[in-house]
Amino acid sequence: MRILHKTIKKVTEDFQEFKFNTAIASLMELVNAIYQLPAGRDVFEQLVILLSPITPHFCEELWPRIVTGK
């Protein structure tokens, strides 16, 4: 959860400063951490929310699958 909250803070700051490449890099680091550590559904929900400004159509497809678990 600590990595998730650090990523949320970093991505939010990067979006505000129009540093999209570093925001994507931070999201990639979060995904790498998810592979190494067990993550709950709430982590995946937050990841999709953070990705939605960058990949809206992809996240629109993922959201119902994560929320309903199907």
Side-chain angles (χ1 to χ4, degrees):
M1 289 303 284
R2 176 175 263 187
I3 297 169
L4 173 65
H5 291 291
K6 285 183 179 182
T7 304
I8 291 171
K9 183 176 188 268
K10 177 84 168 91
V11 169
T12 302
E13 291 170 355
D14 288 344
F15 278 167
Q16 290 173 349
E17 297 174 9
F18 301 106
K19 295 181 179 179
F20 301 114
N21 289 337
T22 56
I24 293 170
S26 297
L27 291 169
M28 289 171 46
E29 290 175 5
L30 176 62
V31 170
N32 289 335
I34 290 172
Y35 278 123
Q36 295 174 358
L37 303 171
R41 191 170 97 189
D42 55 335
V43 174
F44 290 107
E45 287 177 2
Q46 291 297 319
L47 178 61
V48 171
I49 290 170
L50 290 170
L51 278 172
S52 63
I54 301 166
T55 57
H57 301 287
F58 180 67
C59 291
E60 184 177 355
E61 293 292 326
L62 284 178
W63 187 253
R65 294 177 186 202
I66 290 175
V67 173
T68 61
K70 294 181 181 179

Coordinates of all heavy atoms in Angstrom, one line a residue:
M1 N 0.8 -1.2 0.0 CA 0.0 0.0 0.0 C 0.9 1.3 0.0 O 0.5 2.3 -0.6 CB -0.9 0.0 1.2 CG -2.0 -1.0 1.1 SD -3.1 -0.9 -0.3 CE -4.1 0.5 0.1
R2 N 2.0 1.2 0.6 CA 2.9 2.3 0.7 C 3.4 2.7 -0.7 O 3.4 3.9 -1.1 CB 4.1 2.0 1.6 CG 5.1 3.1 1.6 CD 6.2 2.8 2.5 NE 5.8 3.5 3.8 CZ 6.6 3.6 4.8 NH1 7.8 3.0 4.8 NH2 6.2 4.3 5.8
I3 N 3.7 1.7 -1.5 CA 4.1 2.0 -2.9 C 3.0 2.6 -3.7 O 3.2 3.5 -4.5 CB 4.6 0.7 -3.6 CG1 5.9 0.1 -2.8 CG2 4.9 0.9 -5.0 CD1 6.3 -1.3 -3.2
L4 N 1.8 2.1 -3.5 CA 0.6 2.6 -4.2 C 0.4 4.1 -3.9 O 0.2 4.9 -4.8 CB -0.7 1.8 -3.8 CG -2.0 2.4 -4.3 CD1 -2.0 2.4 -5.9 CD2 -3.1 1.7 -3.7
H5 N 0.5 4.5 -2.6 CA 0.3 5.9 -2.2 C 1.4 6.8 -2.7 O 1.1 7.9 -3.1 CB 0.1 6.0 -0.7 CG -1.2 5.4 -0.2 ND1 -2.4 5.9 -0.5 CD2 -1.4 4.2 0.5 CE1 -3.3 5.2 0.1 NE2 -2.8 4.1 0.6
K6 N 2.6 6.3 -2.7 CA 3.7 7.1 -3.3 C 3.5 7.3 -4.8 O 3.7 8.4 -5.3 CB 5.1 6.4 -3.1 CG 5.6 6.5 -1.7 CD 6.9 5.8 -1.5 CE 7.4 5.9 -0.1 NZ 8.8 5.3 0.0
T7 N 3.0 6.3 -5.5 CA 2.7 6.4 -6.9 C 1.6 7.3 -7.2 O 1.7 8.1 -8.1 CB 2.4 5.0 -7.5 OG1 3.5 4.1 -7.2 CG2 2.2 5.1 -9.0
I8 N 0.5 7.3 -6.4 CA -0.6 8.2 -6.6 C -0.1 9.7 -6.4 O -0.4 10.5 -7.2 CB -1.7 7.9 -5.5 CG1 -2.4 6.6 -5.9 CG2 -2.7 9.1 -5.5 CD1 -3.3 6.1 -4.8
K9 N 0.7 9.9 -5.4 CA 1.3 11.3 -5.2 C 2.1 11.7 -6.4 O 2.0 12.8 -6.9 CB 2.1 11.3 -3.9 CG 2.6 12.7 -3.6 CD 3.3 12.7 -2.2 CE 3.6 14.1 -1.8 NZ 5.0 14.5 -2.2
K10 N 3.0 10.8 -6.8 CA 3.9 11.1 -7.9 C 3.2 11.4 -9.2 O 3.5 12.3 -9.9 CB 5.0 10.0 -8.1 CG 5.9 10.2 -9.2 CD 7.1 11.0 -8.8 CE 8.2 10.9 -9.8 NZ 8.1 11.9 -10.8
V11 N 2.3 10.5 -9.5 CA 1.5 10.6 -10.8 C 0.7 11.9 -10.8 O 0.6 12.6 -11.8 CB 0.7 9.4 -11.0 CG1 -0.3 9.6 -12.2 CG2 1.6 8.2 -11.3
T12 N 0.1 12.2 -9.7 CA -0.7 13.4 -9.6 C 0.1 14.7 -9.8 O -0.2 15.6 -10.6 CB -1.4 13.5 -8.2 OG1 -2.2 12.4 -8.0 CG2 -2.3 14.8 -8.1
E13 N 1.3 14.7 -9.2 CA 2.2 15.8 -9.4 C 2.7 15.9 -10.8 O 2.8 17.0 -11.4 CB 3.4 15.7 -8.4 CG 3.0 15.9 -7.0 CD 4.2 15.6 -6.0 OE1 5.2 15.1 -6.5 OE2 4.0 15.8 -4.8
D14 N 3.0 14.8 -11.4 CA 3.5 14.7 -12.8 C 2.4 15.2 -13.8 O 2.7 15.9 -14.7 CB 4.0 13.3 -13.1 CG 5.3 13.0 -12.5 OD1 6.0 13.9 -12.0 OD2 5.6 11.8 -12.4
F15 N 1.2 14.8 -13.5 CA 0.1 15.2 -14.4 C -0.1 16.7 -14.3 O -0.3 17.4 -15.3 CB -1.2 14.6 -14.1 CG -1.4 13.2 -14.7 CD1 -2.4 12.3 -14.2 CD2 -0.5 12.7 -15.7 CE1 -2.5 11.1 -14.7 CE2 -0.7 11.4 -16.2 CZ -1.7 10.6 -15.7
Q16 N 0.0 17.3 -13.1 CA -0.2 18.7 -12.9 C 0.9 19.5 -13.6 O 0.7 20.6 -14.1 CB -0.2 19.1 -11.5 CG -1.5 18.6 -10.8 CD -1.4 18.8 -9.3 OE1 -0.4 19.1 -8.7 NE2 -2.6 18.6 -8.6
E17 N 2.1 18.9 -13.7 CA 3.3 19.6 -14.4 C 3.5 19.1 -15.8 O 4.5 19.5 -16.4 CB 4.5 19.3 -13.5 CG 4.5 19.9 -12.1 CD 5.6 19.5 -11.3 OE1 6.6 18.9 -11.8 OE2 5.6 19.7 -10.1
F18 N 2.5 18.4 -16.4 CA 2.6 17.9 -17.7 C 3.8 17.0 -18.0 O 4.3 17.0 -19.1 CB 2.5 19.0 -18.7 CG 1.2 19.9 -18.6 CD1 1.2 21.1 -18.0 CD2 0.0 19.3 -19.0 CE1 0.1 21.9 -17.9 CE2 -1.2 20.1 -18.9 CZ -1.1 21.4 -18.3
K19 N 4.2 16.3 -17.0 CA 5.3 15.3 -17.2 C 4.8 13.9 -17.3 O 4.8 13.1 -16.4 CB 6.3 15.4 -15.9 CG 6.9 16.8 -15.8 CD 7.8 16.7 -14.6 CE 8.5 18.1 -14.4 NZ 9.4 18.1 -13.2
F20 N 4.2 13.7 -18.5 CA 3.5 12.4 -18.7 C 4.4 11.2 -18.8 O 4.1 10.1 -18.4 CB 2.6 12.5 -20.0 CG 1.6 13.6 -19.9 CD1 1.7 14.7 -20.7 CD2 0.6 13.6 -18.9 CE1 0.8 15.7 -20.6 CE2 -0.3 14.6 -18.8 CZ -0.2 15.7 -19.7
N21 N 5.6 11.4 -19.3 CA 6.6 10.3 -19.4 C 7.0 9.8 -18.0 O 7.1 8.6 -17.8 CB 7.8 10.7 -20.2 CG 7.5 10.9 -21.7 OD1 6.6 10.3 -22.2 ND2 8.4 11.6 -22.3
T22 N 7.2 10.7 -17.1 CA 7.6 10.3 -15.8 C 6.4 9.7 -15.0 O 6.6 8.8 -14.2 CB 8.2 11.4 -14.9 OG1 7.3 12.5 -14.9 CG2 9.5 11.9 -15.6
A23 N 5.2 10.1 -15.3 CA 4.0 9.5 -14.7 C 3.9 8.1 -15.2 O 3.6 7.2 -14.4 CB 2.8 10.3 -15.1
I24 N 4.1 7.8 -16.5 CA 4.0 6.5 -17.0 C 5.1 5.6 -16.4 O 4.9 4.4 -16.0 CB 4.1 6.5 -18.5 CG1 2.8 7.2 -19.1 CG2 4.3 5.1 -19.1 CD1 2.9 7.4 -20.6
A25 N 6.3 6.2 -16.2 CA 7.4 5.4 -15.6 C 7.0 5.0 -14.1 O 7.3 3.9 -13.7 CB 8.7 6.2 -15.6
S26 N 6.4 5.9 -13.4 CA 6.0 5.6 -12.1 C 4.9 4.5 -12.0 O 4.9 3.6 -11.2 CB 5.4 6.9 -11.4 OG 6.4 7.8 -11.3
L27 N 4.0 4.5 -13.0 CA 3.0 3.5 -13.1 C 3.6 2.1 -13.5 O 3.2 1.1 -13.0 CB 1.9 3.9 -14.1 CG 1.0 5.0 -13.7 CD1 0.2 5.5 -14.9 CD2 0.2 4.6 -12.6
M28 N 4.7 2.2 -14.3 CA 5.4 0.9 -14.6 C 6.1 0.4 -13.4 O 6.1 -0.9 -13.2 CB 6.4 1.2 -15.7 CG 5.7 1.4 -17.1 SD 6.8 2.0 -18.4 CE 8.2 0.9 -18.3
E29 N 6.6 1.2 -12.5 CA 7.2 0.8 -11.3 C 6.2 0.1 -10.4 O 6.5 -0.9 -9.7 CB 7.9 1.9 -10.6 CG 9.1 2.4 -11.3 CD 9.7 3.7 -10.6 OE1 9.2 4.1 -9.5 OE2 10.7 4.2 -11.2
L30 N 5.0 0.7 -10.3 CA 3.9 0.1 -9.5 C 3.5 -1.2 -10.1 O 3.3 -2.2 -9.3 CB 2.7 1.1 -9.5 CG 1.4 0.5 -8.8 CD1 1.7 0.3 -7.3 CD2 0.3 1.5 -9.0
V31 N 3.4 -1.4 -11.4 CA 3.1 -2.7 -11.9 C 4.2 -3.7 -11.6 O 3.9 -4.9 -11.3 CB 2.9 -2.6 -13.5 CG1 2.8 -3.9 -14.1 CG2 1.6 -1.7 -13.8
N32 N 5.4 -3.3 -11.7 CA 6.5 -4.2 -11.3 C 6.4 -4.6 -9.8 O 6.7 -5.8 -9.5 CB 7.9 -3.6 -11.6 CG 8.2 -3.5 -13.0 OD1 7.6 -4.3 -13.8 ND2 9.0 -2.6 -13.4
A33 N 6.0 -3.7 -9.0 CA 5.9 -4.0 -7.5 C 4.7 -5.0 -7.3 O 4.7 -5.9 -6.5 CB 5.7 -2.7 -6.7
I34 N 3.6 -4.8 -8.1 CA 2.5 -5.7 -8.0 C 2.9 -7.1 -8.4 O 2.4 -8.1 -7.8 CB 1.3 -5.2 -8.9 CG1 0.7 -3.9 -8.3 CG2 0.2 -6.3 -9.1 CD1 -0.3 -3.2 -9.2
Y35 N 3.7 -7.3 -9.4 CA 4.2 -8.6 -9.8 C 5.0 -9.3 -8.6 O 4.9 -10.5 -8.4 CB 5.1 -8.6 -11.0 CG 4.4 -8.5 -12.3 CD1 4.6 -7.5 -13.2 CD2 3.5 -9.5 -12.7 CE1 3.9 -7.4 -14.4 CE2 2.8 -9.5 -13.9 CZ 3.0 -8.4 -14.7 OH 2.4 -8.4 -15.9
Q36 N 5.7 -8.5 -7.9 CA 6.6 -9.0 -6.8 C 5.8 -9.3 -5.5 O 6.1 -10.2 -4.7 CB 7.7 -8.1 -6.5 CG 8.7 -8.0 -7.7 CD 9.8 -7.0 -7.5 OE1 9.8 -6.3 -6.5 NE2 10.7 -6.9 -8.5
L37 N 4.8 -8.4 -5.2 CA 4.1 -8.5 -3.9 C 2.6 -8.9 -4.2 O 2.1 -8.5 -5.2 CB 4.2 -7.2 -3.2 CG 5.6 -6.7 -2.9 CD1 5.5 -5.3 -2.3 CD2 6.3 -7.6 -1.9
P38 N 2.0 -9.5 -3.3 CA 0.5 -9.8 -3.5 C -0.2 -8.5 -3.4 O 0.1 -7.6 -2.6 CB 0.2 -10.7 -2.4 CG 1.2 -10.5 -1.3 CD 2.5 -10.1 -2.1
A39 N -1.2 -8.3 -4.3 CA -2.0 -7.1 -4.3 C -3.5 -7.4 -4.4 O -3.9 -8.4 -5.0 CB -1.6 -6.3 -5.6
G40 N -4.2 -6.7 -3.6 CA -5.7 -6.9 -3.6 C -6.4 -6.1 -4.7 O -5.8 -5.4 -5.5
R41 N -7.7 -6.3 -4.8 CA -8.5 -5.7 -5.8 C -8.4 -4.2 -5.7 O -8.4 -3.5 -6.8 CB -9.9 -6.2 -5.7 CG -10.8 -5.8 -6.9 CD -12.1 -6.5 -6.8 NE -13.0 -5.5 -6.2 CZ -14.2 -5.8 -5.9 NH1 -14.7 -7.1 -6.0 NH2 -15.1 -4.9 -5.4
D42 N -8.3 -3.6 -4.5 CA -8.3 -2.1 -4.4 C -7.0 -1.5 -5.1 O -7.1 -0.4 -5.6 CB -8.3 -1.7 -2.9 CG -7.2 -2.4 -2.1 OD1 -6.7 -3.5 -2.5 OD2 -6.9 -1.8 -1.1
V43 N -5.9 -2.3 -5.1 CA -4.7 -1.8 -5.8 C -5.0 -1.7 -7.3 O -4.6 -0.8 -8.0 CB -3.5 -2.7 -5.5 CG1 -2.3 -2.3 -6.3 CG2 -3.2 -2.6 -4.0
F44 N -5.6 -2.8 -7.8 CA -5.9 -2.8 -9.3 C -6.9 -1.7 -9.6 O -6.8 -1.1 -10.7 CB -6.4 -4.2 -9.7 CG -5.3 -5.2 -9.6 CD1 -5.3 -6.2 -8.6 CD2 -4.3 -5.2 -10.6 CE1 -4.3 -7.1 -8.6 CE2 -3.3 -6.2 -10.5 CZ -3.3 -7.1 -9.5
E45 N -7.9 -1.4 -8.8 CA -8.8 -0.4 -9.0 C -8.1 1.0 -9.1 O -8.3 1.8 -10.0 CB -9.9 -0.3 -7.9 CG -10.9 -1.4 -8.0 CD -11.9 -1.4 -6.9 OE1 -11.8 -0.5 -6.0 OE2 -12.7 -2.3 -6.8
Q46 N -7.2 1.2 -8.2 CA -6.4 2.5 -8.2 C -5.5 2.6 -9.4 O -5.4 3.7 -10.0 CB -5.6 2.6 -6.9 CG -6.4 2.8 -5.7 CD -7.2 4.1 -5.7 OE1 -6.7 5.1 -6.1 NE2 -8.4 4.0 -5.2
L47 N -5.0 1.5 -9.8 CA -4.1 1.5 -11.0 C -4.9 1.8 -12.2 O -4.5 2.7 -13.0 CB -3.5 0.1 -11.2 CG -2.6 -0.1 -12.4 CD1 -1.4 0.9 -12.4 CD2 -2.1 -1.5 -12.6
V48 N -6.1 1.3 -12.4 CA -7.0 1.6 -13.5 C -7.4 3.1 -13.5 O -7.4 3.8 -14.5 CB -8.2 0.7 -13.6 CG1 -9.2 1.2 -14.6 CG2 -7.8 -0.7 -13.9
I49 N -7.7 3.6 -12.3 CA -8.0 5.0 -12.2 C -6.8 5.9 -12.6 O -7.0 6.9 -13.3 CB -8.5 5.3 -10.7 CG1 -9.8 4.7 -10.5 CG2 -8.5 6.8 -10.5 CD1 -10.3 4.7 -9.0
L50 N -5.6 5.5 -12.2 CA -4.4 6.3 -12.5 C -4.1 6.2 -14.0 O -3.6 7.2 -14.6 CB -3.2 5.8 -11.7 CG -3.2 6.2 -10.2 CD1 -2.1 5.4 -9.5 CD2 -3.1 7.7 -10.0
L51 N -4.4 5.1 -14.6 CA -4.2 4.9 -16.1 C -5.2 5.6 -16.9 O -5.0 5.9 -18.1 CB -4.1 3.4 -16.4 CG -2.9 2.7 -16.1 CD1 -3.1 1.2 -16.4 CD2 -1.8 3.2 -17.1
S52 N -6.4 5.8 -16.4 CA -7.5 6.3 -17.2 C -7.3 7.6 -18.0 O -7.8 7.7 -19.1 CB -8.8 6.4 -16.4 OG -8.7 7.3 -15.4
P53 N -6.6 8.6 -17.5 CA -6.3 9.8 -18.3 C -5.4 9.5 -19.5 O -5.4 10.2 -20.5 CB -5.6 10.8 -17.4 CG -5.9 10.3 -16.0 CD -6.1 8.8 -16.1
I54 N -4.6 8.4 -19.4 CA -3.6 8.1 -20.5 C -4.2 7.2 -21.5 O -4.1 7.3 -22.7 CB -2.3 7.5 -19.8 CG1 -1.7 8.5 -18.9 CG2 -1.4 7.1 -20.9 CD1 -0.7 7.9 -18.0
T55 N -5.0 6.1 -21.0 CA -5.6 5.1 -21.8 C -7.0 5.0 -21.5 O -7.4 4.0 -20.9 CB -4.8 3.8 -21.7 OG1 -4.9 3.4 -20.3 CG2 -3.4 3.8 -22.1
P56 N -7.9 5.9 -21.9 CA -9.3 5.9 -21.4 C -10.1 4.7 -22.0 O -10.9 4.1 -21.2 CB -9.8 7.2 -21.9 CG -8.9 7.7 -23.0 CD -7.6 7.1 -22.7
H57 N -9.9 4.4 -23.2 CA -10.7 3.3 -23.8 C -10.3 1.9 -23.2 O -11.2 1.1 -22.9 CB -10.5 3.2 -25.3 CG -10.9 4.5 -25.9 ND1 -12.3 4.9 -26.1 CD2 -10.2 5.5 -26.5 CE1 -12.3 6.1 -26.7 NE2 -11.1 6.5 -26.9
F58 N -9.0 1.7 -23.0 CA -8.6 0.5 -22.3 C -9.1 0.4 -20.9 O -9.6 -0.7 -20.5 CB -7.0 0.4 -22.4 CG -6.4 -0.8 -21.8 CD1 -6.6 -2.0 -22.4 CD2 -5.7 -0.7 -20.6 CE1 -6.1 -3.2 -21.8 CE2 -5.2 -1.8 -20.0 CZ -5.3 -3.1 -20.6
C59 N -9.0 1.4 -20.2 CA -9.5 1.4 -18.8 C -11.0 1.3 -18.7 O -11.5 0.7 -17.8 CB -9.1 2.7 -18.1 SG -7.3 2.7 -17.8
E60 N -11.7 1.8 -19.7 CA -13.2 1.6 -19.7 C -13.5 0.1 -19.9 O -14.5 -0.3 -19.3 CB -13.8 2.4 -20.9 CG -15.3 2.4 -20.9 CD -15.8 3.2 -22.1 OE1 -15.1 3.9 -22.7 OE2 -17.1 3.2 -22.2
E61 N -12.7 -0.6 -20.6 CA -12.9 -2.0 -20.8 C -12.5 -2.8 -19.5 O -13.2 -3.8 -19.1 CB -12.2 -2.6 -22.0 CG -12.6 -2.1 -23.3 CD -14.0 -2.6 -23.7 OE1 -14.3 -3.8 -23.3 OE2 -14.8 -1.9 -24.3
L62 N -11.5 -2.4 -18.8 CA -11.0 -3.0 -17.6 C -11.9 -2.8 -16.4 O -12.0 -3.7 -15.6 CB -9.6 -2.6 -17.3 CG -8.4 -3.1 -18.1 CD1 -7.1 -2.5 -17.6 CD2 -8.4 -4.6 -18.0
W63 N -12.4 -1.6 -16.3 CA -13.2 -1.3 -15.1 C -14.3 -2.3 -14.7 O -14.3 -2.7 -13.5 CB -13.7 0.1 -15.1 CG -14.3 0.6 -13.9 CD1 -15.6 0.8 -13.6 CD2 -13.6 0.9 -12.6 NE1 -15.7 1.2 -12.3 CE2 -14.5 1.3 -11.7 CE3 -12.2 0.9 -12.3 CZ2 -14.2 1.6 -10.4 CZ3 -11.9 1.3 -11.0 CH2 -12.8 1.6 -10.1
P64 N -15.2 -2.6 -15.6 CA -16.2 -3.5 -15.2 C -15.7 -4.9 -14.8 O -16.2 -5.6 -13.9 CB -17.1 -3.7 -16.4 CG -16.8 -2.6 -17.3 CD -15.4 -2.1 -16.9
R65 N -14.6 -5.3 -15.4 CA -14.0 -6.6 -15.1 C -13.4 -6.7 -13.7 O -13.5 -7.7 -13.0 CB -13.0 -7.0 -16.1 CG -13.6 -7.2 -17.5 CD -12.6 -7.5 -18.5 NE -13.2 -7.6 -19.8 CZ -12.7 -8.2 -20.9 NH1 -11.6 -8.8 -20.8 NH2 -13.4 -8.2 -22.0
I66 N -12.8 -5.5 -13.3 CA -12.2 -5.5 -12.0 C -13.3 -5.4 -10.9 O -13.3 -6.0 -9.9 CB -11.2 -4.3 -11.9 CG1 -10.0 -4.6 -12.8 CG2 -10.8 -4.0 -10.5 CD1 -9.0 -3.5 -12.8
V67 N -14.3 -4.5 -11.2 CA -15.3 -4.3 -10.2 C -16.2 -5.5 -10.0 O -16.5 -5.9 -8.8 CB -16.2 -3.0 -10.6 CG1 -17.4 -2.9 -9.7 CG2 -15.3 -1.8 -10.6
T68 N -16.6 -6.2 -11.0 CA -17.5 -7.3 -10.9 C -16.7 -8.6 -10.7 O -17.3 -9.6 -10.2 CB -18.4 -7.5 -12.1 OG1 -17.5 -7.7 -13.3 CG2 -19.3 -6.3 -12.3
G69 N -15.4 -8.6 -11.0 CA -14.6 -9.8 -10.8 C -14.8 -10.8 -11.9 O -14.4 -12.0 -11.7
K70 N -15.3 -10.4 -13.0 CA -15.5 -11.4 -14.1 C -14.5 -11.2 -15.2 O -14.0 -10.2 -15.5 CB -16.9 -11.2 -14.7 CG -18.0 -11.6 -13.7 CD -19.3 -11.5 -14.3 CE -20.4 -11.9 -13.3 NZ -21.7 -11.7 -13.9

